Amino acid sequence: MKTITRSCIRLDARAANKKEAIQLAGQLLADAGYIESGYIDSMRKREQVANTFLGSGVAIPHGMIEDRHLIHHTGIAILQLPEGVEWNEGQKAYLVVAIAAQSDEHIGLLRRLTRLMQQPDAIDALVHAHNPLVLIAALGDAPAPSAPEPEAAPPWPADAEATWSMDYPNGLHARPATRWVETAKRYSCELRIYKDAEFADAKTLTDLLALGVTCGTSLRLAARGPDAQRALNALHDTVRGLSAVEQADAERARRNALAARKTAPEWTPSGAARTLYGLGASPGLAVGKLVRHVSQHFDITDQPGDVVAEGEALEQALLAVRAEREELEGRTRQRLSAAEAAIFAAQRELLADPVLTRDALAAIMQGHGAAWSWQRALRARIDKLQQIDDPLLAARAVDLRDVGERVLAQLLGIERQQIALTEPSILAADDLTPSDTLHLDTRHVVGLATSAGGPTSHTAILARTLGLPAIVAAGPALLAVPEGGIAVVDGGSGCLYLDVSEADQRSVAEVISRQTAARESLRATRHLPATTTDGHTIEIAANVANPKQAAAALDAGAEGIGLMRTEFLFLERHNAPDEEEQYQVYREMVEVMVGRRLIIRALDIGGDKQVPYLDLPHEDNPFLGVRGARLLLQRQDLLYAQLRALYRAAQHGPLWIMFPMVTHVSEIEALRGHCELAREQVKGPEVKLGIMVEVPAVAVMADRFAAMVDFFSIGTNDLTQYTLAVDRQHPELAAQADSLHPAVLNLIDATVRGAQAAARSVGGGWVGVCGGLAGDPLGARILTGLGVDELSMSAQDIAPVKAALRGESRTAMQELARRALRARTAEEVRAL
């Protein structure tokens, strides 16, 4: 290739957008006589069908293969853009290397570019160089001309910085990292996460995961470019806002593991069955024929082809798999829930990693085939993830392999393998990917066992949701077990019993039958009212986030919705839902409920629920800051859009409106005024207005608050947190945040008595409970004894709570409540 000439280098250029940058770079080539001006149009056409952004701030625009006749000579032009230009969403180019190549003569340049991109400081030096000879020396293939020494790469000059210590108990894994990426991508500036001397692009999921950030690691967040401080604040808020969720998940897992260790297995073989020990990943017992699942292996030989054609083949395969993951995400959301669907959203983000794509394209440009190049880049990325000294983070390699091998299958035209099963089977495998698990024929697959993997893997999460007993990490011995024998998997104890005797098969079948019968008995009676043995009935409702969950809750036995969390309409998106979008959701909720009680909570943002696009000010202690009603009164744009949507929906059926985090009577007075104005604006019907009781001040003054509202709903989770001064998400203190603490129970009692006192003078007095305590059978009995009118809980808790209430008299529950109020500790209450 010809030496790069000074005439084809433009330093310190400015471009308003990608189109202008391509025009400037192309014009350099045209002015130097390398191309016809029509080739610039061809370069723009290429952008419509391919992404020419290589990564690390470098873009390589080039024309279509069919337009090579417009090239007079092979040449290169370099446009240096110190301020950068947005190439695609979330991608900013600082160095635009325009290529006009009649064949593959530019491969040497691409080799040098990709090598330099492994050293970000070297690219940074080129972006800030003041002498064109520096670029010629770095990118040209002729011997470097006599010139001053290349300028040393300056330290990365950040415009905004922050430090943070990782407090996620499981470190930075795919789900929180995906949220980091989503936030970072909303801003055009560069964002980096530093771990000592290493750094990752905050907009690249695999980069973040490869840092191997474990709990306790100190990180530096840095931003450079337009709106750097705002972007850094948003990312910092996202990072910290996820701490509560991560800590709660870890604490829940710890408690579950502790409970599992305290509980003896419901069944063990009486005979001398061979036993393999792994880790319990999904509880339950299953018996079936052991069947080996062999993962697809791709034996790829390098078959070089036309560089452009191979690159386009890779791009088409990536697009196809992204669409496939999006479709799988949608089906998973419908079949299971948004939490499981997020697994496949994270996989799409892994696939969007520009470093992975860049490495594959670099190999293609060196003359290798697309499939071989992709597999090579994929293996390197997987190897890097597997080397991380953290099992949770290393397990993300399975997700990358899952989605990456789907790209290989697309390139090779290979269909997904399906196992044909005709009888109950336990699937044994080295490991299963999330999409393998989701595609299982659950008519015949009754249990899973893998030699590798971990209980925190996405596969384990899906197994639990699908109700498949599963163990993981059973070791290589599992793969040596012959197929065809009858096995039992105990997902609670982590055991796989092999070649069990006929007697043991019969005994485990009896235990499974009893477990199934108990579940079926609860299911069969789930629609019966929660009427105590002495004739008192308490309403049982559900906590939901959307109409689909509401329909599922009604099927699970709910008699109403005690809490619809509207904040989920606002989370994981780039802008607030407008009035019309909210109206459609609330109207669908009303229609699903067909006249049953529906309590919709107004937007409860703040605390553990942060929304970056709202640009809320940073708070050191968001749980005690501007959240709930406080935020709504400050942000009346949010308040009125929601209120108008709610009153419009109320024209189609009954609903109640509930405000969260109320502390002062003046807040109720203001909110009532706004409600009336919004109702008049849309000519809506009058509806009942209530408040959450989450702050001890409201419980203590319940009689005065009750006179101003139509109902109370006690949020025991926050009430416990504020009463005991314990962060319920804190990994060390969370166990102390026990809603059965007598102090919390006495505040609930004060709330009920205050509401009843107000009812005698002004009417009303209805009290519900929508916190976690309502879904605990012991808690439900105490709450019933205290005199609450309604208990609202997760759908899976409804049948057991109803059964517990139907098995006892209200009189006995009132005596239980009196004893609980006199207790000194939560442990004493649990011992009653």
Side-chain angles (χ1 to χ4, degrees):
M1 181 161 206
K2 289 184 66 175
T3 301
I4 303 171
T5 63
R6 286 190 185 214
S7 64
C8 285
I9 297 176
R10 183 170 170 185
L11 300 179
D12 199 26
R14 300 288 186 276
N17 50 49
K18 176 169 70 170
K19 181 179 178 181
E20 184 178 333
I22 292 172
Q23 177 66 40
L24 290 172
Q27 198 61 52
L28 290 174
L29 289 170
D31 292 346
Y34 289 115
I35 61 171
E36 296 282 350
S37 59
Y39 192 72
I40 302 175
D41 293 330
S42 182
M43 294 165 74
R44 293 197 195 99
K45 197 190 308 179
R46 164 70 65 182
E47 295 300 320
Q48 297 172 11
V49 298
N51 182 7
T52 62
F53 186 81
L54 272 188
S56 298
V58 179
I60 53 164
H62 51 284
M64 306 292 286
I65 190 170
E66 61 266 27
D67 294 327
R68 282 183 176 175
H69 64 281
L70 298 173
I71 301 172
H72 298 311
H73 309 285
T74 295
I76 290 170
I78 302 173
L79 196 66
Q80 184 199 64
L81 299 161
E83 293 182 3
V85 64
E86 185 176 55
W87 209 254
N88 295 303
E89 185 178 354
Q91 299 173 338
K92 199 161 190 179
Y94 295 91
L95 207 63
V96 175
V97 183
I99 300 171
Q102 292 177 315
S103 61
D104 295 339
E105 302 159 288
H106 60 299
I107 290 296
L109 167 75
L110 292 171
R111 279 204 193 104
R112 280 184 288 281
L113 265 178
T114 53
R115 190 165 59 242
L116 286 168
M117 287 165 65
Q118 304 300 320
Q119 311 162 47
D121 287 344
I123 293 291
D124 203 63
L126 299 183
V127 171
H128 294 93
H130 301 296
N131 189 330
L133 295 178
V134 174
L135 286 85
I136 291 171
L139 299 176
D141 57 359
S146 175
E149 287 292 318
E151 301 167 12
W156 199 72
D159 296 324
E161 292 188 2
T163 57
W164 182 70
S165 182
M166 167 60 68
D167 61 1
Y168 305 171
N170 292 319
L172 184 61
H173 54 99
R175 276 172 290 168
T178 299
R179 295 285 300 280
W180 291 23
V181 170
E182 288 171 352
T183 299
K185 283 186 173 181
R186 285 199 286 270
Y187 298 90
S188 60
C189 67
E190 292 180 273
L191 283 157
R192 289 183 177 183
I193 307 294
Y194 281 87
K195 173 190 167 188
D196 298 325
E198 291 182 84
F199 73 87
D201 181 349
K203 299 177 182 180
T204 303
L205 185 60
T206 50
D207 257 20
L208 288 174
L209 296 180
L211 274 181
V213 180
T214 55
C215 191
T217 302
S218 293
L219 299 176
R220 180 164 63 91
L221 286 64
R224 183 173 78 180
D227 225 4
Q229 189 63 58
R230 185 163 165 261
L232 186 81
N233 290 344
L235 181 59
H236 201 193
D237 286 344
T238 295
V239 165
R240 294 185 303 175
L242 289 168
S243 295
V245 177
E246 289 298 307
Q247 290 162 5
D249 287 347
E251 174 61 19
R252 196 157 42 244
R254 187 189 69 80
R255 287 183 177 182
N256 290 344
L258 195 61
R261 284 197 292 273
K262 290 178 180 177
T263 305
E266 288 193 58
W267 179 88
T268 53
S270 58
R274 181 185 171 198
T275 306
L276 294 182
Y277 298 94
L279 298 174
S282 179
L285 284 167
V287 57
K289 185 170 77 171
L290 196 69
V291 175
R292 179 75 43 74
H293 172 82
V294 180
S295 299
Q296 255 176 328
H297 289 285
F298 298 92
D299 187 14
I300 297 173
T301 56
D302 192 9
Q303 296 179 329
D306 177 80
V307 169
V308 174
E310 292 296 303
E312 290 180 347
L314 177 58
E315 288 180 29
Q316 290 304 313
L318 288 168
L319 287 172
V321 176
R322 284 187 191 121
E324 177 191 275
R325 293 293 110 166
E326 193 167 347
E327 189 267 339
L328 193 56
E329 180 187 351
R331 282 198 288 119
T332 306
R333 184 178 287 104
Q334 289 182 339
R335 179 181 173 188
L336 303 178
S337 77
E340 285 73 29
I343 292 170
F344 298 103
Q347 285 195 350
R348 280 194 292 116
E349 199 58 58
L350 285 169
L351 200 61
D353 174 14
V355 177
L356 180 61
T357 308
R358 180 201 69 203
D359 290 349
L361 287 173
I364 289 172
M365 291 168 183
Q366 292 169 5
H368 299 289
W372 184 91
S373 299
W374 177 256
Q375 187 181 53
R376 180 172 174 270
L378 180 67
R379 283 177 174 172
R381 211 69 171 143
I382 289 172
D383 288 346
K384 189 172 183 181
L385 285 172
Q386 288 176 331
Q387 289 165 9
I388 297 173
D389 188 23
D390 184 300
L392 186 69
L393 300 180
R396 295 295 83 86
V398 177
D399 289 294
L400 182 55
R401 176 169 65 85
D402 186 9
V403 71
E405 289 186 349
R406 289 302 303 150
V407 176
L408 281 177
Q410 280 284 339
L411 285 167
L412 300 171
I414 297 173
E415 294 295 323
R416 177 182 293 277
Q417 294 177 347
Q418 296 284 359
I419 300 177
L421 300 172
T422 58
E423 58 186 308
S425 303
I426 292 172
L427 220 56
D430 174 29
D431 205 351
L432 287 168
T433 66
S435 52
D436 283 337
T437 308
L438 201 66
H439 283 93
L440 293 175
D441 181 356
T442 51
R443 294 172 303 171
H444 301 301
V445 175
V446 295
L448 305 174
T450 65
S451 65
T456 57
S457 71
H458 287 158
T459 299
I461 292 169
L462 288 172
R464 288 193 287 273
T465 307
L466 291 168
L468 290 174
I471 70 167
V472 296
L478 174 66
L479 304 180
V481 176
E483 289 187 273
I486 300 300
V488 173
V489 62
D490 185 342
S493 65
C495 295
L496 179 69
Y497 304 104
L498 304 171
D499 297 320
V500 295
S501 67
E502 290 187 6
D504 281 333
Q505 291 176 43
R506 288 192 295 270
S507 68
V508 74
E510 290 172 3
V511 173
I512 293 171
S513 179
R514 286 201 301 272
Q515 292 176 340
T516 303
R519 287 194 299 269
E520 288 302 315
S521 174
L522 287 176
R523 179 169 176 78
T525 58
R526 69 192 187 281
H527 291 300
L528 295 178
T531 302
T532 62
T533 57
D534 52 359
H536 176 74
T537 300
I538 185 165
E539 184 179 345
I540 303 298
N543 303 333
V544 303
N546 56 54
K548 282 191 176 65
Q549 289 184 8
L554 294 177
D555 183 62
E559 297 153 2
I561 298 301
L563 169 64
M564 180 195 176
R565 303 181 178 95
T566 61
E567 58 270 17
F568 287 99
L569 285 167
F570 292 75
L571 298 174
E572 296 186 10
R573 55 187 293 156
H574 304 308
N575 56 286
D578 61 17
E579 177 185 330
E580 184 62 26
E581 182 182 347
Q582 292 189 64
Y583 161 68
Q584 294 296 340
V585 174
Y586 304 147
R587 176 176 176 174
E588 188 178 351
M589 281 291 297
V590 168
E591 291 169 348
V592 166
M593 296 307 294
V594 289
R596 298 180 183 89
R597 194 188 316 277
L598 168 60
I599 301 177
I600 300 180
R601 182 173 69 188
L603 178 62
D604 187 15
I605 289 295
D608 57 342
K609 296 182 286 289
Q610 295 294 325
V611 180
Y613 63 78
L614 291 180
D615 296 324
L616 302 179
H618 167 71
E619 295 180 305
D620 289 332
N621 192 342
F623 280 99
L624 297 179
V626 180
R627 59 173 296 202
R630 299 170 183 174
L631 174 64
L632 291 172
L633 288 170
Q634 285 190 12
R635 290 289 301 270
Q636 293 185 19
D637 55 326
L638 299 174
L639 175 64
Y640 273 89
Q642 185 166 48
L643 288 178
R644 284 194 294 266
L646 286 167
Y647 278 108
R648 287 172 62 193
Q651 294 169 347
H652 304 278
L655 62 81
W656 296 6
I657 299 175
M658 175 168 67
F659 292 100
M661 195 62 184
V662 170
T663 310
H664 304 287
V665 292
S666 59
E667 292 170 334
I668 299 176
E669 292 169 344
L671 288 167
R672 275 195 168 278
H674 291 307
C675 285
E676 183 57 25
L677 181 56
R679 186 183 72 80
E680 291 174 355
Q681 289 173 351
V682 297
K683 303 295 186 281
E686 290 189 0
V687 303
K688 288 187 180 295
L689 301 176
I691 63 170
M692 297 274 290
V693 178
E694 303 168 280
V695 182
V698 177
V700 171
M701 297 173 58
D703 56 336
R704 279 149 283 186
F705 279 91
M708 305 178 68
V709 297
D710 298 308
F711 67 94
F712 286 150
S713 185
I714 302 172
T716 56
N717 299 344
D718 272 336
L719 182 61
T720 300
Q721 174 171 254
Y722 293 132
T723 301
L724 302 180
V726 171
D727 181 352
R728 58 190 168 94
Q729 314 291 7
H730 193 287
E732 295 178 14
L733 302 177
Q736 298 179 29
D738 193 331
S739 296
L740 284 174
H741 192 288
V744 179
L745 296 179
N746 273 277
L747 285 174
I748 295 172
D749 181 53
T751 302
V752 174
R753 287 187 288 104
Q756 291 171 345
R760 287 191 288 272
S761 58
V762 297
W766 189 94
V767 179
V769 177
C770 61
L773 189 60
D776 175 355
L778 173 59
R781 290 164 56 218
I782 292 172
L783 291 169
T784 301
L786 289 174
V788 303
D789 299 285
E790 176 236 43
L791 300 171
S792 190
M793 62 203 70
S794 298
Q796 67 265 26
D797 295 328
I798 291 172
V801 165
K802 279 188 167 184
L805 296 178
R806 284 196 297 263
E808 196 171 344
S809 69
R810 183 190 189 189
T811 301
M813 295 182 207
Q814 288 171 330
E815 175 57 28
L816 173 67
R818 282 192 288 270
R819 292 165 61 198
L821 293 175
R822 293 194 299 268
R824 296 175 300 169
T825 65
E827 289 72 24
E828 286 185 10
V829 174
R830 292 189 180 280
L832 293 175

